[in-house]
Structure formats: C-alpha cells, structure tokens
Amino acid sequence: MVVVFLGPPGVGKGTQGAMLAEALDWDRLATGDLLREARRRGTELGRQAEEYMDAGELVPDSLIVAMVRERLEAMPARRGVLFDGFPRTLPQAEALDEVLPEVDRKVDAVVLLEAPDEVLHKRISGRRHSPESGRVYNIYFDPPEQEGICDEAGTPLVHREDDHPDTVTRRLEVYRELTEPLVDFYDASPAPVLRIDGNQEMDEVQASIRQALDEALDLGAKRE
Ligand code: AP5
C-alpha cells in the first residue's frame, strides 16, 4: 500500500501521518523531516536545501526525487508507505509514478487534508518541535507538560525557521501555485482522492482518515 498525504502547510499532515503510520505499522516518508535532519547533520543536501526552505520556497525537484528514490529502495516491500509532503509538484508526482513500479508499488490512495487559512496560520504560529525526539507540539492545542521543554527528550523546543508569518504566507502561495494542481492530477488517476476536513480535533481527523481509507482500500481486511 502507498498513500500520499496532500494539504497546505500546518493542516496536520505530519501529525496525522505519524499517528496513522504508528497505528498501521507503516513506514512514513516525510520529505520536510528528512531535509531538516540533513540540515541538522550538515550534509551537502542539507546545505543545498537551507536557503530554499528558509525562504518558504520548494527545494529543486532533482534533489527531492533523488532523496526519495534512495529511501524508497531501502524500505522493506511488505510494509505500507505513507508519503508526507511529497510529491509537491507535477514533475515530482510524475517521477513517483515512474519510481514506484520499480519497487513493485503504485499510489493506492491520496488523503487531501483541508482547513481555512486562518486555522493554518494559528496552528503554525503555535507549533514547536524537538530536534532531538522529532516530536511536534502546539502551545495552543497540544502543549508539553513543562513549557518549552520536550516531554520525551527533556531538551528545549524550537520554533521552525520557516514558521515566521511572512514565510508562512509565501509557503501558502507556493502550495496554491505548485502543489494544489496535484489534486486534479490524482483526480484523473486510478487512485481515489479522499477529502478530509482537517479542521477538527486531532483524534477526529484521524478517525475520518481511517474511515475513508478503510472504505476505499479495505485496510482492515488487508491487515489480517
Ligand atoms: P514540510 O516540513 O513538509 O512543511 P509543510 O508541508 O509546509 O507542512 P508543515 O510541516 O508546515 O505542516 P503539517 O501539515 O505537517 O502540520 P503539522 O502536523 O506539523 O516542508 C518544509 C519545507 O521543506 C518546504 O517549505 C520546502 O522548502 C521543503 N520541502 C519539503 N518537502 C518538499 C518537496 N517534496 N519538494 C520540495 N521542497 C520540499 O501541524 C501543524 C501544527 O498544528 C502542529 O503544532 C500540530 O501540533 C498542530 N495541529 C495539527 N493538527 C491539529 C488539530 N487537528 N487541531 C489543533 N492543532 C493541530
């Protein structure tokens, strides 16, 4: 099984993707997380991606596709894969359609999370994350037990460089211009596009995703 999560910045792709991957014991391939990890480790890819990310622009397709291909080839074929933040442009979606058959897979469904822009801005302004544990919090909706400190790692939480208001506005523009056209691309493909209201409590969003996927792909039966 391969499921693609689509949606604007801050809608909850990472939050929901992590919950679903854990529940189903799937691999989750989140290109934003991989790029932030590359930056933290100071790799060549991290250095190349830095400037684009901090400006709210997309990292060039060639770098992203090479990174995804490498990860995908290393994944065990028996597990499901959830893509979060990839593909994000038409060339990336076309590249994915070329790469997946090489590892005996195809896109089985697309989860499209939606929420109004004011909700996205509020969520992003409250987001904090732990570079050490990778856990994401929200000072308004999902705070840590001790202010500013990760419950798991016990180290300070940080605000993402690209979460400042001007950059968020640019990221939303880039989403509308380059990523939203993928909805039409997948609507015209055999993979069902499952439209989910992301403006609900986290558990409710997860339940909506599970129900839609179960109906579209009969996941319950496939797990047994
Ligand atoms: P990336 O990291 O993928 O960022 P994004 O797509 O902009 O998405 P976000 O991480 O901002 O949001 P999310 O939808 O995951 O929301 P989250 O669950 O955290 O990409 C960053 C950058 O990397 C890009 O701008 C680009 O430069 C580069 N990049 C990455 N992939 C690329 C690609 N394929 N091609 C080219 N460049 C690429 O939730 C947000 C907050 O809200 C959290 O605090 C969370 O706790 C809270 N929250 C979530 N759900 C709820 C809820 N239901 N109720 C209340 N709060 C909630």
Side-chain angles (χ1 to χ4, degrees):
M1 282 287 158
V2 172
V3 172
V4 168
F5 269 44
L6 269 186
V11 75
K13 300 179 299 296
T15 304
Q16 297 300 328
M19 287 164 86
L20 187 69
E22 189 179 342
L24 297 177
D25 194 24
W26 282 14
D27 286 305
R28 174 171 157 260
L29 204 158
T31 43
D33 289 351
L34 293 176
L35 291 170
R36 278 183 289 278
E37 177 59 22
R39 288 180 62 170
R40 209 162 73 90
R41 287 191 287 117
T43 67
E44 178 61 23
L45 171 66
R47 283 198 300 104
Q48 287 176 311
E50 204 164 54
E51 188 185 328
Y52 298 100
M53 294 174 80
D54 289 349
E57 304 293 337
L58 294 184
V59 175
D61 289 335
S62 55
L63 295 178
I64 298 288
V65 171
M67 176 178 81
V68 169
R69 180 187 282 273
E70 189 185 309
R71 292 284 168 152
L72 201 54
E73 283 170 357
M75 280 179 183
R78 62 183 173 79
R79 279 162 63 126
V81 181
L82 192 155
F83 285 100
D84 164 359
F86 177 87
R88 234 174 167 106
T89 62
L90 282 170
Q92 289 182 18
E94 286 160 0
L96 184 62
D97 280 352
E98 278 175 32
V99 172
L100 285 176
E102 293 171 17
V103 287
D104 253 345
R105 297 179 188 263
K106 62 176 172 46
V107 174
D108 293 289
V110 175
V111 171
L112 174 61
L113 289 169
E114 299 171 300
D117 281 6
E118 61 270 24
V119 171
L120 306 176
H121 279 283
K122 170 101 183 178
R123 285 185 185 173
I124 289 178
S125 71
R127 173 167 48 197
R128 302 290 183 274
H129 85 281
S130 163
E132 286 76 25
S133 72
R135 190 158 158 199
V136 175
Y137 297 84
N138 195 288
I139 58 172
Y140 308 117
F141 307 112
D142 185 20
E145 278 169 28
Q146 187 188 342
E147 191 182 323
I149 301 292
C150 175
D151 297 346
E152 288 168 27
T155 47
L157 297 176
V158 299
H159 199 182
R160 268 168 51 176
E161 278 295 327
D162 61 345
D163 276 355
H164 295 287
D166 289 350
T167 317
V168 173
T169 301
R170 178 62 193 146
R171 284 164 60 201
L172 278 165
E173 284 169 5
V174 168
Y175 174 77
R176 307 273 178 243
E177 193 185 322
L178 296 174
T179 308
E180 217 165 43
L182 293 185
V183 177
D184 287 343
F185 175 89
Y186 283 116
D187 268 336
S189 82
V193 178
L194 312 172
R195 289 167 166 79
I196 305 291
D197 178 8
N199 190 17
Q200 313 175 69
E201 296 290 325
M202 290 181 197
D203 289 346
E204 291 170 344
V205 178
Q206 182 70 189
S208 304
I209 294 172
R210 285 298 296 270
Q211 186 182 348
L213 281 173
D214 276 340
E215 282 168 15
L217 303 177
D218 199 10
L219 279 184
K222 287 204 164 67
R223 264 198 314 280
E224 281 155 18

